[in-house]
Amino acid sequence: MATNRTFTMIKPDAVANGHIGNILAMITNAGFKIVSLKLTQLTTADAQKFYDVHAARPFYGELVEFMSRGPILAAILEKDNAVEDFRTLIGATNPADAAEGTIRKAYATSIGENAVHGSDSDENAAIEGAFHFAGRENF
Ligand code: UDP
Ligand code: MG
């Protein structure tokens, strides 16, 4: 059964480029409620662990380097059908393929530096949310 929470990060590129406010506005205007929110930075080990599923991919090293190079905004979001609806809101991994009106269409600059993360399943949303937030940080 689908749960109603997903996990996101505004990635180092979008934080550095000053897009936190505009991206949060897109998220809340789309009907997502903020359950948890934190400006933080991944260590190399954190990024390796978070993206372990991609460890064998050619872009893994670059991805770990990028995701740990500066602050990120981590958040847990709530809405009916959260995982699927949030993937629709962020758009395709490659901004060249992202639909008009999506966050990646507006703010991603490349397939690697693509502004936002969105969980791909309810199971991963729970794992990724717990990776960043203690229970008492969920509201
Ligand atoms: N990525 C990359 N090159 C690729 C595919 C992915 O650098 O060819 C990066 C990109 O930052 C992406 C992340 O790895 O967001 C995770 O990849 P995934 O296929 O899970 O894409 P997503 O779920 O983020 O759309
Ligand atoms: Mg993914």
Side-chain angles (χ1 to χ4, degrees):
M1 202 189 78
T3 60
N4 59 356
R5 288 186 177 185
T6 191
F7 172 78
T8 186
M9 294 180 285
I10 300 180
K11 296 185 177 184
D13 58 329
V15 172
N17 290 329
H19 300 315
I20 286 177
N22 286 335
I23 292 173
L24 281 180
M26 289 178 79
I27 290 171
T28 53
N29 287 342
F32 291 88
K33 180 194 155 208
I34 294 169
V35 172
S36 305
L37 187 69
K38 174 158 58 188
L39 192 65
T40 183
Q41 184 164 355
L42 298 173
T43 64
T44 299
D46 289 334
Q48 284 170 337
K49 191 172 165 205
F50 190 91
Y51 284 108
D52 184 59
V53 65
H54 294 307
R57 309 283 291 278
F59 57 83
Y60 181 65
E62 218 177 322
L63 175 61
V64 167
E65 157 83 27
F66 161 56
M67 286 302 298
S68 57
R69 81 173 182 214
I72 59 156
L73 193 81
I76 296 173
L77 305 173
E78 193 168 87
K79 181 184 181 297
D80 287 347
N81 203 38
V83 166
E84 193 184 337
D85 286 1
F86 193 71
R87 294 293 308 201
T88 301
L89 178 64
I90 68 176
T93 307
N94 186 344
D97 302 326
E100 283 298 335
T102 62
I103 294 172
R104 283 170 167 169
K105 178 71 178 184
Y107 297 114
T109 53
S110 69
I111 191 170
E113 303 204 5
N114 58 8
V116 280
H117 168 81
S119 303
D120 62 6
S121 67
D122 289 339
E123 187 192 1
N124 285 334
I127 293 168
E128 293 170 1
F131 184 89
H132 285 273
F133 295 102
R136 65 185 166 78
E137 296 176 299
N138 293 183
F139 294 94

